[in-house]
Amino acid sequence: MVYLLILILILFFLLFLFYRHQCLLRDRAHLMREAMRNHDFSFSLPVKGLFFGEKALQQALNDLGKDINQLVAQNEVESWQRLTRVLTHEIMNATTPIQSISQAYLNSPKIKNSVYEEGIRAIYDTSTGLANFVNSYRKLTQLQKPELEEVNIGTLISSVKVLYPDLEWHVSLPPFTTMMVDENMLRQVIINLVKNAVEAGAKKVDIRWTEASNKGKGTALYISNDGEPIPADARREVFVPFFTTKQTGSGIGLSLSRQIMMMMGMNIVLAETPVNGCHVTFIIRKD
C-alpha cells in the first residue's frame, strides 16, 4: 500500500513537471508570436531548462529571428536608398532651372535696385537652399565601397575621445579588441552617435564590448549615453531617413550610420534596455 502511494505521488509529480514544462513552451510561443506581430524579430529566448530537441529548435528560432531582422533592416535601407535617389533627382531637376534663371535676372541691370530685386532674390535664395539641402542627402546613395581591415577598437575610440574632451568617458574593452571594418567609416558612425548624444544633453558616454564564444558570432559594441531618452513612439523610426526628434536635426545621421554598417556586413540597432546608468544604448553587431 505504501509503495502504491509513493508511486502515485511520483506519477503526480511527473505530471506536474510535464504540465509546467508545457506551460513554459506555451508562454514562449506567445512571446514569439507577439514579437512577430509587432515586427520585432530581435527576440532571443533562453534555452536553459529545455530538452535537447527543444533547445535546438529554440536556438534555430532565435537565429532565424536575427536573420529576418537583418533582412528587414537591409530591405529598409535599400528602399530608402531608391526613394532618396529618385527624390533628389526630381527635386534637382526642378530647382536647377529656377536657380539659374533667378540668378540671371539678379545680374541684369534692369533688375538691380528695382522693385523686383527683393522678390527674385528670395526665389534665388530659396532654390539655392533647397539644392544644398538635397545635396546633403545624396550621401545616402553615394557612399564609397568599404575597405575592410582588422581595426583596433581601443585606438579608434581614443581618436574619437579627443574630439569630445568635455564628456565623461567610460570605456571597457578587452586588450587588443579588433573588428573587421573600414576604419574611417566606423569612426564616422561612432562620431554620429556621440554627436547625437551631446545634442541630447549627454555628459557621459559608456562604451563596452561583448563577444560570444561561438567563433565571434554575437560580437557587439555597446555605445551608450546619459542624454535625453528617445521617446517610445520614436524608437521604431530613428533609422528612417529624414526622421528626427530635434528641431534643427537633419534626420540623416542614424540612417546613414545603419547604411554604413550594412555595407560592412554588420548592423546597428537601438537596444530595448539601456545599460545601467545610461538612457540610450546603440548596439553595433555582427549577428
Side-chain angles (χ1 to χ4, degrees):
M1 188 68 178
V2 175
Y3 291 111
L4 180 60
L5 181 61
I6 294 175
L7 183 61
I8 293 174
L9 289 175
I10 292 175
L11 181 60
F12 271 105
F13 180 70
L14 291 176
L15 287 173
F16 169 75
L17 290 180
F18 176 78
Y19 175 76
R20 190 177 67 171
H21 188 73
Q22 294 305 307
C23 290
L24 173 65
L25 296 179
R26 180 197 60 194
D27 293 341
R28 286 171 176 267
H30 174 73
L31 289 173
M32 286 188 288
R33 187 181 298 111
E34 287 301 307
M36 293 181 182
R37 185 175 297 162
N38 294 312
H39 302 285
D40 179 11
F41 303 101
S42 58
F43 63 84
S44 181
L45 298 180
V47 297
K48 185 178 179 180
L50 299 179
F51 295 115
F52 66 93
E54 296 167 342
K55 184 179 296 185
L57 178 60
Q58 182 64 68
Q59 189 59 57
L61 291 171
N62 289 343
D63 293 341
L64 180 61
K66 291 180 181 179
D67 292 340
I68 294 175
N69 196 51
Q70 184 84 0
L71 289 173
V72 169
Q74 181 68 42
N75 184 63
E76 288 179 351
V77 167
E78 292 174 355
S79 297
W80 282 111
Q81 272 187 305
R82 290 192 293 269
L83 178 59
T84 302
R85 192 178 297 114
V86 171
L87 288 177
T88 54
H89 178 74
E90 294 300 324
I91 293 173
M92 290 302 291
N93 282 347
T95 57
T96 300
I98 298 173
Q99 187 179 4
S100 299
I101 294 171
S102 58
Q103 185 177 30
Y105 273 113
L106 287 174
N107 292 332
S108 172
K110 295 181 180 180
I111 297 299
K112 288 185 176 181
N113 300 320
S114 72
V115 294
Y116 303 107
E117 182 178 14
E118 184 177 356
I120 294 175
R121 185 170 299 281
I123 294 173
Y124 173 76
D125 290 342
T126 301
S127 59
T128 300
L130 183 57
N132 293 335
F133 175 80
V134 171
N135 278 328
S136 69
Y137 287 104
R138 284 184 168 173
K139 297 176 184 178
L140 290 171
T141 59
Q142 296 179 344
L143 285 174
Q144 294 181 348
K145 185 177 180 180
E147 297 181 5
L148 303 183
E149 59 180 347
E150 203 78 24
V151 174
N152 186 300
I153 301 302
T155 303
L156 190 150
I157 297 299
S158 296
S159 69
V160 177
K161 287 173 60 178
V162 174
L163 303 176
Y164 298 92
D166 295 333
L167 287 174
E168 179 184 342
W169 290 83
H170 297 268
V171 181
S172 178
L173 300 173
F176 309 109
T177 301
T178 62
M179 294 175 72
M180 186 63 68
V181 293
D182 183 302
E183 182 173 2
N184 291 327
M185 283 186 164
L186 181 58
R187 180 184 291 108
Q188 186 59 53
V189 169
I190 296 175
I191 288 175
N192 284 345
L193 296 179
V194 176
K195 178 175 176 291
N196 284 349
V198 171
E199 292 174 351
K203 303 298 181 184
K204 176 180 71 174
V205 170
D206 181 291
I207 298 180
R208 59 185 66 184
W209 175 266
T210 63
E211 184 169 2
S213 59
N214 50 342
K215 298 182 179 179
K217 189 174 183 180
T219 296
L221 186 65
Y222 286 69
I223 302 177
S224 311
N225 67 81
D226 63 345
E228 186 177 346
I230 296 175
D233 58 348
R235 292 179 61 86
R236 296 185 62 85
E237 313 294 334
V238 293
F239 292 105
V240 174
F242 319 136
F243 176 86
T244 180
T245 58
K246 297 176 290 188
Q247 291 183 349
T248 59
S250 65
I252 193 175
L254 288 177
S255 57
L256 183 63
S257 296
R258 169 167 278 184
Q259 183 177 333
I260 288 173
M261 298 314 303
M262 288 285 183
M263 292 177 66
M264 293 190 288
M266 305 181 74
N267 195 8
I268 177 171
V269 298
L270 178 62
E272 288 293 329
T273 304
V275 302
N276 290 336
C278 294
H279 300 148
V280 178
T281 295
F282 286 95
I283 306 174
I284 294 175
R285 68 191 186 196
K286 185 175 181 65
D287 291 327

